[in-house]
Amino acid sequence: MMRVMITESVAEMDRAAARIIEERIRGCPGVVLGLPTGRTPSGMYREVARLHAGEGLDFSNVTTFNVDELCGLPPGDPRSFSQFMRRHLFDHVNIPAGNIHVPDGSAGNLVEACRSYEEAIEKAGGIDLLVLGIGLNGHIGFNEPGTELGSVTHVVRLSETTRERLSGFTTLDAAPDRGITMGIKTIMRARMILLLACGRVKARILRQALCGPVTPDCPASILQIHPVLTVIADRNAWSECAASPGDPCLGESDRAALS
Ligand code: PGA
């Protein structure tokens, strides 16, 4: 079932998303989270860190698995997703280092790194709550258009669109051309998914993902058939999804959210 929350601002989206993470941790201190990087979740992480500092949100039993990582960067490279996560979240909460998992993009044997990542997720009992952003081309994680819906953690060649969006690289030539990502099947196995989108730049692809056909051409469209999907979008990202509660692409819950 899809539940939609539309927010007036990005800050409100950040707070709403952080509150969902908080609820899951308070309800189950040993929760397993799946986490994204990117511009979209940055404010959510700031809010989560604030909940830790100001409201005692305890990460000591939380386990995390990041959705993706760039390949070929030396460990500790500030542009890696693992360093992004340290800066935005892990350095600000009391999560034990051993509970943090990010795919190893610098592994000598990337295929083996993918296999062991998938195994680690399984060993942790699967992901309880997986947070995702959506790429301009509909990717989720680094699952670019055309990715098999049955894929598990794998190495991908990044599209030009995705490489252009990666910040911190001086030129496109310098941006890594490969990444490791949870597969679509790995993502769909999560018990609950939280999809975040903000900004008018995401409006077209969000509509395609939520209201268009379920197709590998738009990997995020598969989320329509996840049993527990929550979408939090700001008004700008939502703008092409629904002009009014009567929009044909809306389900009952969306209409309720709009009314
Ligand atoms: P963004 O990336 O949050 O930086 O827009 C989203 C994504 O590619 O998943």
Side-chain angles (χ1 to χ4, degrees):
M1 196 192 87
M2 192 195 307
R3 190 166 73 105
V4 180
M5 290 173 69
I6 303 154
T7 65
E8 292 304 326
S9 65
V10 178
E12 199 189 316
M13 179 195 80
D14 299 340
R15 284 193 296 274
R19 285 292 176 195
I20 289 178
I21 291 182
E22 179 192 19
E23 268 169 34
R24 302 301 293 201
I25 296 176
R26 295 214 197 267
C28 171
V31 72
V32 179
L33 301 176
L35 298 175
T37 55
R39 293 166 183 81
T40 309
S42 302
M44 171 190 77
Y45 290 137
R46 203 165 40 241
E47 282 299 316
V48 169
R50 199 188 54 72
L51 289 170
H52 169 71
E55 298 183 29
L57 187 62
D58 179 16
F59 277 77
S60 58
N61 287 305
V62 173
T63 297
T64 62
F65 286 90
N66 264 83
V67 177
D68 48 16
E69 175 61 289
L70 298 168
C71 288
L73 297 175
D77 187 299
R79 298 166 303 187
S80 68
F81 289 0
S82 65
Q83 290 298 311
F84 172 99
M85 289 305 298
R86 288 188 66 147
R87 286 194 302 276
H88 287 85
L89 183 68
F90 299 146
D91 282 350
H92 309 288
V93 295
N94 63 331
I95 186 166
N99 291 10
I100 296 170
H101 305 83
V102 181
D104 184 0
S106 61
N109 184 339
L110 291 173
V111 172
E112 174 54 25
C114 293
R115 200 196 53 74
S116 67
Y117 201 66
E118 200 68 34
E119 210 172 84
I121 294 173
E122 210 168 298
K123 206 161 144 219
I127 295 169
D128 295 305
L129 168 62
L130 177 62
V131 186
L132 291 173
I134 180 169
L136 289 172
N137 59 3
H139 76 197
I140 41 177
F142 277 148
N143 294 289
E144 304 284 19
T147 306
E148 269 183 50
L149 299 182
S151 55
V152 293
T153 302
H154 61 294
V155 178
V156 296
R157 194 155 287 284
L158 302 175
S159 71
E160 291 288 293
T161 333
T162 301
R163 294 176 76 214
E164 275 164 23
R165 274 294 272 180
L166 293 170
S167 56
F169 295 94
T170 45
T171 62
L172 187 57
D173 281 354
D177 60 357
R178 286 185 307 164
I180 294 189
T181 183
M182 286 182 190
I184 293 183
K185 189 166 166 187
T186 322
I187 289 172
M188 290 297 279
R189 278 190 192 134
R191 293 178 191 94
M192 175 182 173
I193 293 180
L194 174 57
L195 177 69
L196 305 179
C198 56
R200 198 161 286 271
V201 70
K202 296 290 172 70
R204 187 194 52 81
I205 198 63
L206 193 65
R207 179 178 175 97
Q208 204 178 317
L210 300 182
C211 310
V214 174
T215 161
D217 296 341
C218 177
S221 66
I222 188 80
L223 300 177
Q224 288 178 35
I225 61 173
H226 191 279
V228 192
L229 170 68
T230 295
V231 180
I232 309 183
D234 77 341
R235 284 231 171 260
N236 287 330
W238 187 254
S239 57
E240 288 192 27
C241 280
S244 73
D247 189 287
C249 92
L250 292 180
E252 280 311 309
S253 55
D254 313 341
R255 265 185 264 282
L258 273 172
S259 57

